[in-house]
Amino acid sequence: MMKHSNKFAAVLLSTVIGFSALTTTSVVEAAEKKRKTYTLSERVGKKVGTIYDLYSSDQIDEAIKLALELKPKKPYDKAYINKFLGSMYAGKQGKGKEAIKYLKASVEADILSTNEHASAIRTVADLQLQEKEFNGAIKYYKMWMEFTGKQDPAIWVRIGNAYTQLKQYAKTIGPADKAIALYKEPNKNPYLLKLGAYYELKQPAKAIGVLETLVETFPEEPKFWGQLGQFYMLNEQYEKALATMHIAYINGYLTKGSQIRVLAQLYANNNIPHRAAKVLEKHIKSGEIDRDEKMLKVVAGSWHQAKDIKKAIKYYGEAAAIAQNGELYYKQGLLAFELEDHKGAIKALKLALKDESLRQPDNALFTMAQAHFYNKQYKSAYAKMVQASQGKSKSVAKNAKIWINYIKDTAKRKKVAYR
């Protein structure tokens, strides 16, 4: 959207009094408009020079005041001064609506020269876009193209943007397509308008088509790769999503933590968990992804899925320690027990049982008792197994009673105490 600037107003003023011309000069012949030529009256002509001198010396308020005092009566003088005032107001902060009012009046008079009339129409449209008068901007941009006979891709982009701002997304697409067809060199702006429109219209397949064109046309633009991968995911095209995000990653196009997480998720969903774990591990260490309980849990789960149990144990423990999460300590303890690291299992399960919200405390006690047993700590094994046999879980209680006898028999055979 166009921004306010004194330079913009200065260019407009130069056009008004004939010192220079806007780009509309080049469209006079194309317009083929035969308009009667008028000149300023002597009184107004003299004042115009003075007004411009004031404006040029940054005495803008004085220039506007003098222009307002003129009160021209002849139609051409009036239209000319209205355009002059509109151009000056366009250069003042917060005076966009005032500028539009005077410029509209000059357009409606339809008496200025071809150049002046064309530039007034275009400026009204630009200012309306700036002031969020989107319907008006669309009307005046179309009026400008009709008057000049010129099809300008940048104008079609602005029209498409206005429709987008009005949330008339279906109407955005036509202007965007016209802009694409008119640009001599590829320009990403109309494609982005189409992409946004299709997204809002919940047409992911068409949005993907736009993104595929963007990636093909602007392959070195990082964000398009990431967006394409995520749109493939939304459309459940997971293999394409993975291929796209993988290429983007190895080319260094994925720079956000959210994009790295998406890539890791795709690796995991496509049965490549070790890559998911390595990518997350790398970017957690670099600080690009937060080292929080959630992400460490994902890393642990990925290593677990990849059957690297030692690393899974490590990361479950780190995740659990952040919030003293009993469930994660329980997973760590079970995996340690699976690896016959009985000391590690006992330590993790003891921490798990400190969490009153642990869902399966009886199971944790039973496994801890087994770990004590295999660690030849028969007294602790017996005490924990008795405790497990008295829990709420019937299946655990049943197995615990069998184990109680087994612990007794083993201790007696080894001639050691069990209680």
Side-chain angles (χ1 to χ4, degrees):
M1 191 173 291
M2 191 189 69
K3 294 183 178 179
H4 159 91
S5 74
N6 285 334
K7 183 178 179 182
F8 169 66
V11 173
L12 291 175
L13 280 170
S14 298
T15 306
V16 171
I17 62 175
F19 288 105
S20 68
L22 286 174
T23 56
T24 50
T25 302
S26 63
V27 301
V28 177
E29 293 179 4
E32 294 182 353
K33 298 278 185 181
K34 293 184 179 179
R35 298 172 69 83
K36 187 174 179 180
T37 302
Y38 295 90
T39 57
L40 291 171
S41 65
E42 185 177 350
R43 180 181 71 88
V44 172
K46 288 180 180 179
K47 292 290 186 180
V48 164
T50 304
I51 293 167
Y52 187 76
D53 288 341
L54 287 169
Y55 183 86
S56 298
S57 59
D58 288 332
Q59 298 180 63
I60 300 169
D61 290 335
E62 291 82 352
I64 290 173
K65 181 181 178 183
L66 183 56
L68 289 170
E69 290 172 353
L70 273 176
K71 308 293 183 186
K73 294 180 180 178
K74 290 184 177 182
Y76 180 74
D77 288 355
K78 191 172 183 179
Y80 194 96
I81 293 303
N82 278 334
K83 186 171 188 293
F84 205 159
L85 278 164
S87 301
M88 288 192 289
Y89 276 122
K92 289 182 66 66
Q93 186 70 39
K95 292 294 184 179
K97 292 187 183 296
E98 197 77 5
I100 290 168
K101 180 181 78 171
Y102 283 104
L103 287 163
K104 269 189 174 182
S106 74
V107 170
E108 288 165 6
D110 196 16
I111 198 172
L112 297 175
S113 70
T114 303
N115 265 352
E116 292 164 346
H117 189 67
S119 69
I121 297 170
R122 171 72 178 267
T123 308
V124 170
D126 286 343
L127 288 168
Q128 285 180 317
L129 198 62
Q130 174 183 291
E131 296 297 320
K132 301 183 179 181
E133 296 178 10
F134 301 116
N135 282 312
I138 292 167
K139 175 185 172 182
Y140 272 81
Y141 280 131
K142 289 182 176 180
M143 187 190 300
W144 180 83
M145 286 192 286
E146 183 180 354
F147 178 77
T148 62
K150 182 177 181 180
Q151 292 286 304
D152 187 329
I155 295 301
W156 281 116
V157 168
R158 292 188 178 198
I159 290 172
N161 181 51
Y163 278 126
T164 296
Q165 297 298 327
L166 290 167
K167 298 184 179 180
Q168 297 178 17
Y169 303 113
K171 291 183 178 180
T172 297
I173 296 162
D177 281 335
K178 287 179 180 177
I180 290 167
L182 287 166
Y183 273 117
K184 293 180 180 179
E185 296 292 332
N187 186 295
K188 61 189 175 185
N189 292 325
Y191 290 106
L192 293 176
L193 282 174
K194 286 184 70 177
L195 176 62
Y198 284 134
Y199 176 78
E200 295 293 345
L201 291 168
K202 295 181 171 54
Q203 297 179 2
K206 290 184 177 180
I208 286 169
V210 175
L211 277 166
E212 286 173 340
T213 302
L214 281 167
V215 165
E216 183 180 346
T217 309
F218 307 97
E220 295 181 2
E221 186 74 45
K223 66 180 179 181
F224 298 147
W225 288 89
Q227 288 175 339
L228 178 57
Q230 292 184 53
F231 266 92
Y232 277 138
M233 282 189 71
L234 287 173
N235 209 35
E236 298 182 359
Q237 295 177 260
Y238 298 117
E239 288 186 7
K240 285 187 175 182
L242 176 58
T244 302
M245 295 296 276
H246 178 70
I247 292 169
Y249 181 69
I250 61 178
N251 280 285
Y253 295 157
L254 303 185
T255 57
K256 297 179 181 178
S258 59
Q259 294 173 326
I260 303 299
R261 290 194 294 272
V262 167
L263 175 64
Q265 182 184 340
L266 285 166
Y267 282 139
N269 291 346
N270 283 274
N271 297 315
I272 319 175
H274 66 283
R275 280 191 180 173
K278 283 185 176 180
V279 165
L280 289 173
E281 196 174 52
K282 174 183 176 181
H283 292 278
I284 287 173
K285 286 179 180 177
S286 70
E288 292 167 290
I289 294 177
D290 292 339
R291 189 183 189 84
D292 56 22
E293 178 188 2
K294 181 180 178 181
M295 290 315 304
L296 290 171
K297 180 181 174 182
V298 173
V299 176
S302 296
W303 282 125
H304 191 178
Q305 189 181 355
K307 303 189 185 308
D308 191 326
I309 304 303
K310 285 186 178 179
K311 286 189 175 179
I313 289 169
K314 172 180 180 291
Y315 281 101
Y316 275 130
E318 289 183 15
I322 290 174
Q324 296 303 303
N325 186 317
E327 299 297 334
L328 295 178
Y329 277 128
Y330 179 49
K331 285 187 177 182
Q332 184 191 30
L334 289 180
L335 291 180
F337 184 77
E338 183 181 323
L339 282 189
E340 299 183 5
D341 175 11
H342 300 122
K343 287 184 179 179
I346 293 165
K347 180 180 178 183
L349 292 167
K350 189 179 291 185
L351 290 169
L353 286 163
K354 286 183 179 180
D355 186 349
E356 294 180 0
S357 64
L358 185 67
R359 293 195 301 271
Q360 296 178 310
D362 295 343
N363 296 68
L365 273 169
F366 181 80
T367 305
M368 185 191 293
Q370 287 180 306
H372 279 299
F373 175 80
Y374 289 122
N375 206 38
K376 297 182 171 52
Q377 297 171 306
Y378 299 113
K379 285 186 178 181
S380 295
Y382 182 81
K384 294 299 179 186
M385 201 62 80
V386 169
Q387 193 176 346
S389 71
Q390 298 168 349
K392 294 179 181 179
S393 172
K394 291 181 179 179
S395 61
V396 170
K398 182 179 179 181
N399 288 327
K401 287 172 183 176
I402 296 170
W403 264 86
I404 287 171
N405 291 326
Y406 181 60
I407 293 168
K408 283 182 185 178
D409 292 344
T410 302
K412 286 177 180 179
R413 190 172 66 253
K414 292 181 177 289
K415 298 180 181 181
V416 294
Y418 62 88
R419 63 179 175 179

